[in-house]
Amino acid sequence: MTIHWNEQNKIRIRESDESQQKHLIVKSLVMLHLKIKHKKDSHWMKLYSEFPIGDKKICDVYYENIKTKEAIAYEVQKNVSKKWLEETNEFYKDWEVYGMKTSDYIIIDLNKLSNNIEEMSKQIKELII
């Protein structure tokens, strides 16, 4: 994968209506906490939002650490239906990122997060660490 330096650390908005407000806040907090966690070794990190994975999937936040050889896709979802979960598990089951030892995904269920911004931030930090 090529590093697109001018696209890193930008928070992209795919849908712009008020119903997506919490989704955007969560995506921003995920990126913020990843940057804080890896600030000493940020030069080893790739961080993108609304990142295409394959031909048919766009993850909300994509994190890659070249030093530790790990890639993680964060999926922020309001409705984690059984069908969506099965399709997502099937997609990521064989997901491999060239040059990485591990590639995984984390689902962040918006319904399980607090609406209080400070509490939400703590919950997201726990998911990342």
Side-chain angles (χ1 to χ4, degrees), residues 63-84:
Y63 161 78
E64 187 175 295
N65 190 317
I66 299 166
K67 185 176 184 179
T68 61
K69 305 255 186 257
E70 65 180 324
I72 301 173
Y74 292 88
E75 295 283 354
V76 180
Q77 191 70 15
K78 184 175 183 179
N79 298 312
V80 181
S81 68
K82 185 177 179 180
K83 181 182 178 190
W84 181 87

Side-chain angles (χ1 to χ4, degrees), residues 49-125:
S49 70
E50 299 301 324
F51 188 79
I53 298 178
D55 296 333
K56 299 178 182 178
K57 188 90 168 146
I58 295 176
C59 70
D60 292 299
V61 175
Y62 176 83
Y63 161 78
E64 187 175 295
N65 190 317
I66 299 166
K67 185 176 184 179
T68 61
K69 305 255 186 257
E70 65 180 324
I72 301 173
Y74 292 88
E75 295 283 354
V76 180
Q77 191 70 15
K78 184 175 183 179
N79 298 312
V80 181
S81 68
K82 185 177 179 180
K83 181 182 178 190
W84 181 87
L85 190 57
E86 287 172 1
E87 290 171 355
T88 303
N89 285 336
E90 183 65 27
F91 176 84
Y92 284 110
K93 180 176 72 173
D94 298 322
W95 182 53
E96 292 183 13
V97 178
Y98 178 77
M100 298 293 114
K101 290 180 184 175
T102 63
S103 48
D104 206 353
Y105 73 102
I106 295 174
I107 297 171
I108 300 175
D109 186 345
L110 289 176
N111 295 321
K112 293 182 179 179
L113 295 176
S114 173
N115 288 328
N116 176 291
I117 193 81
E118 287 84 15
E119 186 61 33
M120 180 192 298
S121 181
K122 288 178 190 175
Q123 291 170 318
I124 292 169
K125 187 176 182 178

